[in-house]
Amino acid sequence: MNADAKKTALRMIPYGIYVLTADDGKGNVTAATVNWVTQTSFAPPLVAVAVKADSGTYQVVKAAGVFALNMLGKDHKGLAFTFFKPAAVADGTLSGQPYRKGDSGAPLLTNAPAAVECRVKQIVAEGDHHIVVAEVIEAHLTTPPAGRPDAAILEMKDLGENVFYGG
Ligand SMILES: Cc1cc2nc3c(=O)[nH]c(=O)nc-3n(C[C@H](O)[C@H](O)[C@H](O)COP(=O)(O)O)c2cc1C
């Protein structure tokens, strides 16, 4: 395989940017910026997220069995960069970001325009990221988008010329 062609072809897949959050109820709270996310079913509403298998986030998501996907808006670049690093809880914030617990126990970022709470149904353990298949059990719209919802999401291409995750 041509490694350059593989990298470039795979980087042609467009991505939104989200913050995955989880709390295992035993003091382990996590938040990670992720892009490998898609809906996979209408009924029940399912999503799939690829989570780095050796990350702290993966451990917390597995232990919690629930997580939230916090949607980022176009003006949330800073928030995306904050959660490229492991998150820390301090003064009731997640790495300085205010949050509250959803009904599932998953943290909901106050500044995210929308979020879904999800229950893990299955994990496909293949490769260096494992695919977490989860059912959407609650949804929140803090700031309803003015136009198309998918026009409001922060995208990988909004993060700068050199930011990629994929390839
Ligand atoms: C542009 C970008 C996109 C990312 N997308 C994902 C992703 O889809 N899944 C994932 O598990 N990690 C992704 N990461 C890595 C996580 O943001 C990072 O591993 C995590 O925040 C580190 O914290 P942790 O070790 O506590 O999990 C991405 C990183 C960058 C820079």
Side-chain angles (χ1 to χ4, degrees), residues 94-108:
L94 256 172
S95 299
Q97 288 294 323
Y99 73 100
R100 68 180 174 88
K101 268 192 183 192
D103 286 345
S104 70
L108 301 170

Side-chain angles (χ1 to χ4, degrees), residues 111-134:
N111 293 323
V116 288
E117 294 177 67
C118 307
R119 185 178 312 285
V120 176
K121 304 289 283 185
Q122 202 170 322
I123 295 180
V124 182
E126 293 284 345
D128 54 12
H129 287 60
H130 292 178
I131 303 167
V132 180
V133 180

Side-chain angles (χ1 to χ4, degrees), residues 17-18 23 34-35 52 55 57 67-68 81 86 100 102 113 116-117 124 139-140 143 157-158:
I17 300 290
Y18 318 86
D23 181 342
V34 297
N35 65 298
K52 202 164 176 270
S55 67
T57 296
F67 63 86
F81 280 91
R100 68 180 174 88
V116 288
E117 294 177 67
V124 182
H140 308 274
T143 312
K157 65 184 179 193
D158 300 324

Side-chain angles (χ1 to χ4, degrees), residues 17 30-36 49-52 55-58 83-87 129 156 159 163-165:
I17 300 290
T30 193
T33 301
V34 297
N35 65 298
W36 283 342
V49 186
V51 184
K52 202 164 176 270
S55 67
T57 296
Y58 184 63
F83 294 112
F84 287 146
K85 294 164 286 229
H129 287 60
M156 183 71 79
L159 296 179
V163 180
F164 292 99
Y165 202 79

Side-chain angles (χ1 to χ4, degrees), residues 142-154:
T142 313
T143 312
R148 282 181 61 109
D150 57 357
I153 193 81
L154 183 66

